[in-house]
Amino acid sequence: MPLDPEAKAMLEAMSAAPKVDLYSVPHTVIRQAFGTMPGNAPGPEMESVEAREIDGPASKIPVRIYKPKGGVARKSGIVFFHGGGFVLCNLDTHDATCRQLAEGTDSVVVSVDYRLAPEAKFPAAPEDCYAATQWTALHARELGIDAGRIAVAGDSAGGNLAAVVSLMCRDRGGHLPIHQLLIYPVTDFAFDTASYSANGEGYFLSTDMMRWFWHHYLETDEDGAHPHASPLRAANLTGLPPATVLTAEYDPLRDEGRAYAGRLAAAGVPTQYTNYDGVFHGFFAMTEQLPRARRAVDEACAALRKAFGA
């Protein structure tokens, strides 16, 4: 279908900004620009928001813990991994999304500030995210979480990390999440899908940007074939947590997200897949501007509540 009118207006506003050659600008400059971009209105008020540092495989990992108001004493938990191509974004850029998920599911959300590339290349990010997931399960009681009701979630690169952490938990015998919420996830180190051809330019996330992200994330191209970088290439997807996968019509990542949902379902993993027409990559966070974003957040929260038995 055509672009949603609100989405089209947003893209037109974005296109008015000067075009930047990503390789001519230090990644730190682009990271700073993304970190200071105006976002949505603040998310819902929480009972508490706590900053902590937890032990990681190489260094301390900052996390932010969101506890919603009211509800039951021992809540479900969501370990959340932000997007940003493994290079950009942070806890602040995804603050509103974490608040919405916490309120919409009556869950404690643990948002993870994993190490970014290129300072820390693959597999630093998935190792940090796995460690944070296991920490959350181990400390569930003190966090007010029911250890049997912990999900992982993330958008874009964070969706990749949620999928990869699920694989790592299964393969390492770690605490297995009860659900995985994958929001327009990166699932393959490839640029050859129909959605890349159709949406690789002019819809916010571009093919050039994805090549730039992967260039910074991977030590070598061979690393891109590893299932902890490209979960779509994992030989076996059986025994993974049930999944909710959301994609956007005008997104170069659409087809790899759909392919991963299809492979999960074919492996016997209960999978709910929705492609949102008329919108582009990043729309999930744009609830103030896009009605479809509000519907997507509602769908994600409903799927998680169902997984948690609520």
Side-chain angles (χ1 to χ4, degrees):
M1 66 173 288
L3 270 169
D4 178 274
E6 292 90 348
K8 183 178 180 182
M10 292 185 69
L11 282 176
E12 288 174 349
M14 291 177 184
S15 66
K19 193 162 184 177
V20 176
D21 176 5
L22 292 170
Y23 292 93
S24 69
V25 180
H27 72 276
T28 51
V29 173
I30 296 173
R31 184 183 293 162
Q32 183 178 20
F34 262 75
T36 57
M37 284 177 65
N40 280 340
E45 289 292 325
M46 297 282 103
E47 184 71 34
S48 66
V49 178
E50 179 187 3
R52 293 181 64 171
E53 288 190 336
I54 65 174
D55 290 334
S59 58
K60 293 289 186 179
I61 305 170
V63 298
R64 186 177 292 172
I65 302 164
Y66 299 82
K67 295 186 177 181
K69 293 182 177 182
V72 297
R74 192 162 298 281
K75 299 181 183 297
S76 45
I78 302 169
V79 187
F80 183 84
F81 314 122
H82 67 77
F86 311 104
V87 178
L88 311 176
C89 297
N90 51 45
L91 299 178
D92 291 336
T93 58
H94 287 66
D95 179 77
T97 294
C98 289
R99 290 170 181 266
Q100 290 169 341
L101 292 175
E103 182 183 67
T105 63
D106 192 30
S107 300
V108 175
V109 173
V110 179
S111 185
V112 182
D113 201 10
Y114 55 87
R115 287 173 289 165
L116 296 177
E119 294 87 347
K121 288 181 176 286
F122 172 83
E127 291 293 347
D128 281 1
C129 293
Y130 175 79
T133 302
Q134 299 311 302
W135 178 88
T136 301
L138 184 63
H139 294 81
R141 181 173 293 275
E142 77 172 86
L143 295 170
I145 293 174
D146 176 356
R149 295 190 298 140
I150 296 174
V152 290
D155 66 310
S156 194
N160 169 288
L161 293 167
V164 168
V165 164
S166 297
L167 285 166
M168 296 169 78
C169 291
R170 181 200 64 182
D171 295 343
R172 296 180 180 183
H175 187 95
L176 191 68
I178 197 171
H179 199 81
Q180 48 182 326
L181 170 63
L182 314 180
I183 304 162
Y184 30 75
V186 180
T187 68
D188 195 20
F189 175 49
F191 312 93
D192 56 0
T193 61
S195 59
Y196 260 107
S197 297
N199 306 319
E201 183 66 36
Y203 298 102
F204 177 54
L205 179 66
S206 68
T207 302
D208 286 345
M209 289 174 68
M210 284 303 304
R211 291 187 184 278
W212 185 81
F213 288 139
W214 281 110
H215 165 76
H216 283 303
Y217 185 49
L218 301 177
E219 197 70 61
T220 67
D221 284 355
E222 287 71 26
D223 285 340
H226 196 290
H228 292 176
S230 297
L232 186 60
R233 303 192 191 195
N236 177 16
L237 298 183
T238 61
L240 291 172
T244 299
V245 183
L246 310 180
T247 58
E249 180 182 9
Y250 291 94
D251 183 353
L253 305 184
R254 181 194 66 213
D255 289 353
E256 64 194 74
R258 178 170 57 198
Y260 195 67
R263 281 208 55 210
L264 286 169
V269 177
T271 302
Q272 176 179 324
Y273 170 69
T274 305
N275 182 58
Y276 279 83
D277 293 334
V279 289
F280 54 90
H281 189 86
F283 84 98
F284 190 86
M286 302 172 184
T287 52
E288 291 295 305
Q289 298 92 351
L290 302 178
R292 283 182 175 85
R294 293 191 288 273
R295 291 204 294 273
V297 171
D298 288 345
E299 178 187 351
C301 290
L304 288 168
R305 289 195 305 270
K306 182 179 178 181
F308 294 144

